[in-house]
mmCIF file of all heavy atoms in Angstrom:
data_model
loop_
_atom_site.group_PDB
_atom_site.id
_atom_site.type_symbol
_atom_site.label_atom_id
_atom_site.label_comp_id
_atom_site.label_asym_id
_atom_site.label_seq_id
_atom_site.Cartn_x
_atom_site.Cartn_y
_atom_site.Cartn_z
ATOM 1 N N VAL A 80 46.540 198.209 -120.724
ATOM 2 C CA VAL A 80 45.158 198.679 -120.436
ATOM 3 C C VAL A 80 45.035 200.173 -120.842
ATOM 4 O O VAL A 80 45.918 200.974 -120.527
ATOM 5 C CB VAL A 80 44.829 198.532 -118.936
ATOM 6 C CG1 VAL A 80 43.475 199.083 -118.644
ATOM 7 C CG2 VAL A 80 44.918 197.098 -118.524
ATOM 8 N N VAL A 81 43.961 200.509 -121.494
ATOM 9 C CA VAL A 81 43.675 201.889 -121.825
ATOM 10 C C VAL A 81 42.560 202.371 -120.878
ATOM 11 O O VAL A 81 41.783 201.597 -120.396
ATOM 12 C CB VAL A 81 43.221 202.079 -123.296
ATOM 13 C CG1 VAL A 81 44.352 201.713 -124.226
ATOM 14 C CG2 VAL A 81 42.024 201.290 -123.629
ATOM 15 N N THR A 82 42.533 203.662 -120.660
ATOM 16 C CA THR A 82 41.526 204.187 -119.788
ATOM 17 C C THR A 82 40.484 205.032 -120.514
ATOM 18 O O THR A 82 39.690 205.690 -119.905
ATOM 19 C CB THR A 82 42.173 205.083 -118.693
ATOM 20 O OG1 THR A 82 42.940 206.107 -119.325
ATOM 21 C CG2 THR A 82 43.069 204.228 -117.794
ATOM 22 N N VAL A 83 40.565 205.027 -121.836
ATOM 23 C CA VAL A 83 39.665 205.791 -122.692
ATOM 24 C C VAL A 83 39.164 204.906 -123.785
ATOM 25 O O VAL A 83 39.917 204.174 -124.405
ATOM 26 C CB VAL A 83 40.428 207.008 -123.296
ATOM 27 C CG1 VAL A 83 39.495 207.797 -124.188
ATOM 28 C CG2 VAL A 83 41.025 207.895 -122.219
ATOM 29 N N LEU A 84 37.851 204.969 -124.033
ATOM 30 C CA LEU A 84 37.283 204.213 -125.155
ATOM 31 C C LEU A 84 37.535 204.941 -126.455
ATOM 32 O O LEU A 84 37.541 206.162 -126.496
ATOM 33 C CB LEU A 84 35.765 204.012 -124.958
ATOM 34 C CG LEU A 84 35.308 203.229 -123.725
ATOM 35 C CD1 LEU A 84 33.793 203.144 -123.767
ATOM 36 C CD2 LEU A 84 35.916 201.850 -123.726
ATOM 37 N N THR A 85 37.705 204.193 -127.524
ATOM 38 C CA THR A 85 37.761 204.801 -128.825
ATOM 39 C C THR A 85 36.372 205.332 -129.187
ATOM 40 O O THR A 85 35.388 204.893 -128.574
ATOM 41 C CB THR A 85 38.227 203.799 -129.919
ATOM 42 O OG1 THR A 85 37.227 202.761 -130.050
ATOM 43 C CG2 THR A 85 39.592 203.175 -129.566
ATOM 44 N N LEU A 86 36.292 206.140 -130.194
ATOM 45 C CA LEU A 86 34.994 206.631 -130.628
ATOM 46 C C LEU A 86 34.115 205.449 -131.111
ATOM 47 O O LEU A 86 32.931 205.412 -130.789
ATOM 48 C CB LEU A 86 35.173 207.672 -131.770
ATOM 49 C CG LEU A 86 33.855 208.261 -132.276
ATOM 50 C CD1 LEU A 86 33.095 208.984 -131.169
ATOM 51 C CD2 LEU A 86 34.160 209.240 -133.418
ATOM 52 N N ASP A 87 34.680 204.495 -131.832
ATOM 53 C CA ASP A 87 33.923 203.328 -132.253
ATOM 54 C C ASP A 87 33.381 202.524 -131.100
ATOM 55 O O ASP A 87 32.255 202.056 -131.151
ATOM 56 C CB ASP A 87 34.785 202.436 -133.156
ATOM 57 C CG ASP A 87 34.990 203.029 -134.555
ATOM 58 O OD1 ASP A 87 34.245 203.950 -134.930
ATOM 59 O OD2 ASP A 87 35.924 202.604 -135.216
ATOM 60 N N GLU A 88 34.198 202.360 -130.065
ATOM 61 C CA GLU A 88 33.719 201.638 -128.840
ATOM 62 C C GLU A 88 32.621 202.449 -128.146
ATOM 63 O O GLU A 88 31.610 201.835 -127.718
ATOM 64 C CB GLU A 88 34.890 201.445 -127.885
ATOM 65 C CG GLU A 88 35.898 200.428 -128.377
ATOM 66 C CD GLU A 88 37.212 200.412 -127.604
ATOM 67 O OE1 GLU A 88 37.528 201.453 -126.965
ATOM 68 O OE2 GLU A 88 37.876 199.377 -127.635
ATOM 69 N N THR A 89 32.739 203.752 -128.082
ATOM 70 C CA THR A 89 31.706 204.584 -127.483
ATOM 71 C C THR A 89 30.400 204.459 -128.235
ATOM 72 O O THR A 89 29.331 204.340 -127.672
ATOM 73 C CB THR A 89 32.193 206.054 -127.388
ATOM 74 O OG1 THR A 89 33.385 206.120 -126.628
ATOM 75 C CG2 THR A 89 31.134 206.922 -126.752
ATOM 76 N N VAL A 90 30.485 204.497 -129.572
ATOM 77 C CA VAL A 90 29.300 204.392 -130.418
ATOM 78 C C VAL A 90 28.686 203.009 -130.224
ATOM 79 O O VAL A 90 27.435 202.867 -130.187
ATOM 80 C CB VAL A 90 29.645 204.672 -131.905
ATOM 81 C CG1 VAL A 90 28.490 204.314 -132.799
ATOM 82 C CG2 VAL A 90 30.039 206.141 -132.058
ATOM 83 N N ALA A 91 29.514 201.953 -130.093
ATOM 84 C CA ALA A 91 28.983 200.628 -129.873
ATOM 85 C C ALA A 91 28.217 200.525 -128.535
ATOM 86 O O ALA A 91 27.170 199.941 -128.426
ATOM 87 C CB ALA A 91 30.132 199.587 -129.872
ATOM 88 N N VAL A 92 28.778 201.141 -127.512
ATOM 89 C CA VAL A 92 28.135 201.158 -126.200
ATOM 90 C C VAL A 92 26.792 201.912 -126.303
ATOM 91 O O VAL A 92 25.728 201.457 -125.802
ATOM 92 C CB VAL A 92 29.022 201.812 -125.119
ATOM 93 C CG1 VAL A 92 28.258 202.139 -123.849
ATOM 94 C CG2 VAL A 92 30.198 200.900 -124.813
ATOM 95 N N GLU A 93 26.786 203.030 -127.020
ATOM 96 C CA GLU A 93 25.530 203.768 -127.211
ATOM 97 C C GLU A 93 24.496 202.957 -127.999
ATOM 98 O O GLU A 93 23.310 203.052 -127.723
ATOM 99 C CB GLU A 93 25.851 205.093 -127.916
ATOM 100 C CG GLU A 93 26.604 206.056 -127.052
ATOM 101 C CD GLU A 93 27.215 207.240 -127.838
ATOM 102 O OE1 GLU A 93 27.134 207.275 -129.092
ATOM 103 O OE2 GLU A 93 27.759 208.162 -127.175
ATOM 104 N N ALA A 94 24.982 202.142 -128.942
ATOM 105 C CA ALA A 94 24.052 201.293 -129.710
ATOM 106 C C ALA A 94 23.422 200.240 -128.807
ATOM 107 O O ALA A 94 22.223 199.926 -128.947
ATOM 108 C CB ALA A 94 24.808 200.611 -130.858
ATOM 109 N N VAL A 95 24.157 199.646 -127.858
ATOM 110 C CA VAL A 95 23.615 198.692 -126.954
ATOM 111 C C VAL A 95 22.572 199.364 -126.023
ATOM 112 O O VAL A 95 21.497 198.816 -125.780
ATOM 113 C CB VAL A 95 24.751 198.013 -126.075
ATOM 114 C CG1 VAL A 95 24.145 197.238 -124.933
ATOM 115 C CG2 VAL A 95 25.611 197.160 -126.975
ATOM 116 N N VAL A 96 22.893 200.587 -125.529
ATOM 117 C CA VAL A 96 21.944 201.315 -124.741
ATOM 118 C C VAL A 96 20.633 201.543 -125.471
ATOM 119 O O VAL A 96 19.544 201.305 -124.940
ATOM 120 C CB VAL A 96 22.572 202.673 -124.256
ATOM 121 C CG1 VAL A 96 21.511 203.563 -123.636
ATOM 122 C CG2 VAL A 96 23.713 202.397 -123.278
ATOM 123 N N ALA A 97 20.745 201.961 -126.719
ATOM 124 C CA ALA A 97 19.558 202.215 -127.540
ATOM 125 C C ALA A 97 18.785 200.927 -127.780
ATOM 126 O O ALA A 97 17.528 200.894 -127.732
ATOM 127 C CB ALA A 97 19.937 202.856 -128.865
ATOM 128 N N PHE A 98 19.493 199.834 -127.996
ATOM 129 C CA PHE A 98 18.853 198.549 -128.309
ATOM 130 C C PHE A 98 18.033 198.053 -127.126
ATOM 131 O O PHE A 98 16.956 197.451 -127.311
ATOM 132 C CB PHE A 98 19.924 197.504 -128.677
ATOM 133 C CG PHE A 98 19.443 196.189 -129.187
ATOM 134 C CD1 PHE A 98 18.877 196.087 -130.450
ATOM 135 C CD2 PHE A 98 19.504 195.072 -128.396
ATOM 136 C CE1 PHE A 98 18.436 194.876 -130.945
ATOM 137 C CE2 PHE A 98 19.066 193.822 -128.864
ATOM 138 C CZ PHE A 98 18.525 193.724 -130.155
ATOM 139 N N TYR A 99 18.503 198.310 -125.915
ATOM 140 C CA TYR A 99 17.760 197.811 -124.726
ATOM 141 C C TYR A 99 17.013 198.928 -124.006
ATOM 142 O O TYR A 99 16.560 198.741 -122.899
ATOM 143 C CB TYR A 99 18.757 197.175 -123.772
ATOM 144 C CG TYR A 99 19.278 195.861 -124.291
ATOM 145 C CD1 TYR A 99 20.537 195.732 -124.849
ATOM 146 C CD2 TYR A 99 18.487 194.703 -124.228
ATOM 147 C CE1 TYR A 99 21.021 194.498 -125.371
ATOM 148 C CE2 TYR A 99 18.935 193.488 -124.729
ATOM 149 C CZ TYR A 99 20.209 193.415 -125.298
ATOM 150 O OH TYR A 99 20.615 192.206 -125.784
#
Side-chain angles (χ1 to χ4, degrees):
V80 178
V81 296
T82 58
V83 179
L84 297 182
T85 66
L86 182 58
D87 288 341
E88 291 167 337
T89 301
V90 170
V92 167
E93 291 167 353
V95 169
V96 169
F98 188 73
Y99 289 103

